[in-house]
Amino acid sequence: MGVKNGNARSGLSAAWGRLKWPLLLAVVLLCLGAVVVSGMVPGLLGTPKQPHPVPAWQQKPEALSGSGTVLPLDDAAQLPVPAEVARLLDGTLKPDGSGSISGVVLDASTGKVLFDRQGSAKRIPASNMKLLTAVAALKALGPETRFTTRVLGSEDPSTVVLTGGGDVLLGGGASDPSAVMGRAGLATLASDTASALSAAGIKGPVTVQVDDSLFSGAPLNPAWSLDDVAAGETAPLFPLALNSGRYSPTVIAGPRPQDSAVTTARAFAEQLAAAGVAVSTGVERGKGVPAKVLASAESATVSEQVDLMLETSDNFLAEALGRMTAAASGLKATYDDATTAVRQRLADLGIATDSMELADVSGLALDNQVSARTFAEVVRAITSGPELSLRAALDGFPVAGLTGTLDNRYVDPGTAGGAGLVRAKTGTLNTVIALSGYVVDADGRLLVFSFIGNGLEPGAAGNKAAMDRSASVLAACGCRG
């Protein structure tokens, strides 16, 4: 079990060093106690025995790799006792100041409810919304689907049309088959276009147009705060963009292009000029002729894009995947139809949707209302449900203390017990903190959980810590009462 791009383990070393030997000592003492009861102390003293090893799933991982499944599990392991789970979580799942935290814990194999605190109450989920989008996209589009960006000819031989196909992870340079962001690169697309123009005897100057008609409706969701847009949390959405709607793949904060389609077309025109094609100044919108494909480039798979979205909590990418999910569901590629498509796909999986209210599919909108129980059911569908295509989302869950949006958490003594063990999607807005994911407990049972805090005191550090401690409790749980 693992997560792609997971190589940051340095933050765990100190905490793990503090926990490892006390844990082993406790195991040794338990073994000694058992031997005393059986009257075998003399034999033990004469021939020292090795302490029972800590289960592999309760050890810090030495490496992270994609697996598409959750292992190991013990089908014969005893179920945690709900009263004991509640006793432990009631001691940790407390807000730091104002507000409240709801939560649900399920046994993944049986679906049995092990903990329920206002689990059916509607809550603002923040970026936990992306879990719903991930499931819907994988079900509607399929894990191996790729989006194609094309350069089409037009009725005017001297005009080429860069046509968006839903790939918002285009790179500015050469295509990189090993990458997720930048698998399709404008430099390669331009070079192939230049070769096609040369073969057709077109010497230029060439006019570059852009076709962004795949997505319809308003580019900017009216449910979003304009302050969030100005801060670069997201941007107006189009069916093609560089760097997930950013100026640079390495600068993930601050202002974004407000028209990613035109920005991308201008960058393509520059690469076309660099490839030796005389290019007219300016970029305009237009339509190409589908039969006249001059060049094309394919994105990373939907599975890879979903993993990137979950690991980095990318709002722009989430909304693009939502629009593509709508299109694959026979709907218009609008914000409203994206939420409709997500709701439909969840219903197809048998997940109740009647009470939820969806204003976007990234979680940036405060108008979203979804229960912790729904998120726990979604995580259960991903980890152990019958729809095998959803397993592709497993690698996208951030790993506590190691990857993604959890890379700098689970490093203090109060939470480090879950480092490397907890896999969970985070969510953060001004007064909202959420954490939904899964752990394999000390007995080898897979537990899924969702914790959502609303009305919290902005900036109070104890709220994330409360959720991290609670997930760590589940990871260490034998919980037999």
Side-chain angles (χ1 to χ4, degrees), residues 53-377:
V54 178
W57 62 88
Q58 287 290 306
Q59 297 181 29
K60 181 181 71 171
E62 294 299 324
L64 297 173
S65 60
S67 64
T69 188
V70 182
L71 291 172
L73 299 176
D74 185 354
D75 291 335
Q78 182 175 328
L79 270 169
V81 176
E84 180 64 11
V85 176
R87 184 187 69 81
L88 293 171
L89 292 183
D90 285 342
T92 59
L93 200 59
K94 299 177 180 179
D96 182 3
S98 60
S100 62
I101 302 176
S102 63
V104 170
V105 180
L106 304 176
D107 176 66
S109 177
T110 65
K112 181 177 179 179
V113 178
L114 304 176
F115 176 79
D116 188 333
R117 181 199 292 171
Q118 296 181 309
S120 297
K122 293 192 291 186
R123 295 284 181 148
I124 303 169
S127 282
N128 273 205
M129 269 298 305
K130 295 180 178 71
L131 288 169
L132 310 189
T133 305
V135 165
L138 288 168
K139 186 164 177 57
L141 295 162
E144 299 306 313
T145 296
R146 300 179 188 271
F147 308 144
T148 304
T149 304
R150 294 180 174 86
V151 180
L152 304 179
S154 72
E155 296 298 341
D156 179 357
S158 64
T159 297
V160 299
V161 184
L162 181 66
T163 305
D167 186 1
V168 298
L169 301 178
L170 293 165
S175 296
D176 183 355
S178 66
V180 179
M181 186 178 295
R183 188 187 191 279
L186 294 186
T188 299
L189 200 56
S191 177
D192 292 346
T193 301
S195 296
L197 292 172
S198 177
I202 300 171
K203 302 184 181 299
V206 170
T207 298
V208 173
Q209 295 182 343
V210 62
D211 180 356
D212 59 6
S213 61
L214 178 62
F215 292 175
S216 55
L220 196 63
N221 192 325
W224 292 335
S225 163
L226 293 181
D227 289 339
D228 286 339
V229 176
E233 293 294 336
T234 192
L237 189 67
F238 298 89
L240 71 168
L242 286 165
N243 315 312
S244 197
R246 297 185 178 94
Y247 288 107
S248 167
T250 60
V251 180
I252 59 175
R256 295 171 178 250
Q258 296 302 291
D259 189 330
S260 63
V262 169
T263 299
T264 304
R266 287 172 178 162
F268 173 73
E270 292 175 0
Q271 291 290 354
L272 202 57
V277 177
V279 179
S280 300
T281 59
V283 169
E284 56 194 50
R285 283 182 162 86
K287 289 272 191 179
V289 178
K292 296 183 178 180
V293 180
L294 302 177
S296 64
E298 292 191 328
S299 71
T301 64
V302 167
S303 171
E304 292 169 326
Q305 293 188 55
V306 162
D307 286 348
L308 179 64
M309 172 192 68
L310 293 177
E311 186 174 329
T312 63
S313 203
D314 189 318
N315 294 316
F316 193 89
L317 177 56
E319 295 295 340
L321 287 171
R323 297 281 192 106
M324 296 302 288
T325 298
S329 302
L331 303 172
K332 294 180 180 179
T334 64
Y335 284 116
D336 286 344
D337 280 359
T339 60
T340 298
V342 168
R343 187 189 300 272
Q344 288 178 351
R345 296 299 176 171
L346 292 176
D348 290 344
L349 293 167
I351 296 172
T353 63
D354 294 344
S355 65
M356 67 172 57
E357 300 173 21
L358 305 183
D360 70 11
V361 298
S362 62
L364 195 59
L366 290 172
D367 294 334
N368 293 314
Q369 295 281 322
V370 185
S371 70
R373 178 61 184 261
T374 296
F375 286 108
E377 292 287 2

